Amino acid sequence: MTRIDAHQHYWQLDRSDYAWMQPQHAAIRRDFLPADLAPLLAAAGVHGTILVQADATARETDFLLEIARTTPSVLGVVGWVDFTAADAVAEVERRAGQAKLRGLRPMLEFIDDPDWILQPAFDPVFRAMIHCGLSFDALVHPPHLPALDVLARRYPDLPMVIDHGAKPKLAAWRNDVSALRAWEQDMRRMARHPQVWCKLSGLLTEAGSHWQAEDLLPAMRILLELFGPSRLLWGSDWPVMTLAGNYDHWLALSERALAGLGVEEKGLVFGQNARGCYRI
């Protein structure tokens, strides 16, 4: 089985301000570069990665594409474009021509209005993404899912990837089954769209540093049920996930959640789906 980590980050603090890093992120407020991840990939038998933006700047996307150019393990890059800019369509077209650029990700989780992405002014941007063969990574929380459902109905030809299972609040939901069920119903609606994929990633951080397997496995199994082995992509969210555990923890837990799958189905989740979704 060829394993691909469909969601990881590199950053260098002098490249951007990474304003999302707050005091609770102190442990990861340092540079993380390919040499830091390489031994973890080798130990886990991961052959390549999808490198995802972590700051809303063109400068950071340039930085990631340069890393991809010189790092064979980076198979594709999900970058950032300012959807509100007057030249947004031209920028999408320019980025689409850059080697290894495979998708774009506005950082919706940091935008207060959950319906922000539905602005009619963004229609030409989405049309350009479809024309250029780019995917749309959705960095969202559960309250964003209704708008995402509208977006998926509006653009059935746009490949959409829900990052981190829409970040279910696993730590807060330990004693609130109703909230978990509401998230499940919203994700069920998203899964009905055949162009929508979902990443099995980021959940360790959502469960918190004192997580137990029982905090995560129900949500992981729900995602597998909804999207099936053909539209679920395994990723680590390294190095953010190191706030709650390590690479081996997440890989072992993922293997446990997917234990009921056959070898070919596991191969889809752990690698082939990333190749298909990001056109590797």
Side-chain angles (χ1 to χ4, degrees):
M1 178 181 6
T2 300
R3 282 181 172 159
I4 296 173
D5 182 339
H7 196 106
Q8 58 89 193
H9 306 284
Y10 294 129
W11 57 68
Q12 199 167 22
L13 296 184
D14 64 359
R15 296 281 179 167
S16 291
D17 59 13
Y18 301 99
W20 59 268
M21 292 187 189
Q22 300 299 311
Q24 65 267 30
H25 301 117
I28 59 171
R29 192 168 180 82
R30 64 173 181 84
D31 295 352
F32 285 92
L33 296 168
D36 300 302
L37 182 57
L40 304 180
L41 298 179
V46 174
H47 300 86
T49 72
I50 302 298
L51 177 57
V52 181
Q53 62 82 228
D55 203 27
T57 66
R59 184 185 181 195
E60 197 229 12
T61 296
D62 289 335
F63 168 62
L64 299 183
L65 289 168
E66 179 59 23
I67 287 179
R69 187 184 68 81
T70 58
T71 307
S73 63
V74 176
L75 305 178
V77 172
V78 176
W80 178 88
V81 162
D82 182 359
F83 278 37
T84 68
D87 65 344
V89 170
E91 185 66 0
V92 169
E93 294 170 345
R94 183 182 76 85
R95 289 294 190 192
Q98 294 180 301
K100 293 191 178 181
L101 195 285
R102 294 293 183 267
L104 297 173
R105 184 174 87 147
M107 302 183 79
L108 300 182
E109 73 167 330
F110 300 115
I111 297 173
D112 291 336
D113 180 5
D115 294 327
W116 178 88
I117 197 61
L118 298 178
Q119 296 178 59
F122 296 161
D123 181 69
V125 182
F126 283 116
R127 299 292 177 191
M129 289 180 65
I130 294 168
H131 177 73
C132 293
L134 297 178
S135 62
F136 175 79
D137 261 53
L139 177 63
V140 297
H141 292 277
H144 295 93
L145 290 172
L148 215 57
D149 179 48
V150 173
L151 198 70
R153 285 187 273 115
R154 188 179 291 175
Y155 302 107
D157 296 324
L158 177 68
M160 183 183 297
V161 190
I162 302 175
D163 291 345
H164 315 321
K167 291 196 167 186
K169 304 307 174 192
L170 302 179
W173 293 354
R174 288 187 178 109
N175 300 312
D176 187 358
V177 176
S178 63
L180 179 65
R181 295 305 170 211
W183 163 80
E184 178 183 355
Q185 291 305 311
D186 283 338
M187 290 298 284
R188 188 174 299 277
R189 279 188 284 272
M190 293 305 303
R192 291 179 183 142
H193 301 288
Q195 82 277 24
V196 175
W197 309 65
C198 183
K199 287 184 181 177
L200 189 65
S201 62
L203 299 181
L204 206 64
T205 312
E206 296 306 316
S209 59
H210 300 293
W211 63 272
Q212 298 178 2
E214 291 71 23
D215 298 326
L216 292 111
L217 287 171
M220 297 171 76
R221 288 167 176 157
I222 285 170
L223 293 176
L224 177 60
E225 174 203 344
L226 296 182
F227 290 90
S230 62
R231 286 190 291 143
L232 199 64
L233 293 74
W234 179 82
S236 67
D237 196 29
W238 182 93
V240 179
M241 55 87 67
T242 63
L243 292 169
N246 60 44
Y247 209 94
D248 289 342
H249 287 151
W250 177 240
L251 180 58
L253 190 63
S254 300
E255 290 275 15
R256 182 174 169 185
L258 303 174
L261 299 182
V263 174
E264 290 187 6
E265 290 177 322
K266 284 184 180 178
L268 292 173
V269 178
F270 278 111
Q272 288 304 112
N273 288 344
R275 288 189 180 277
C277 179
Y278 290 113
R279 302 159 306 285
I280 304 303

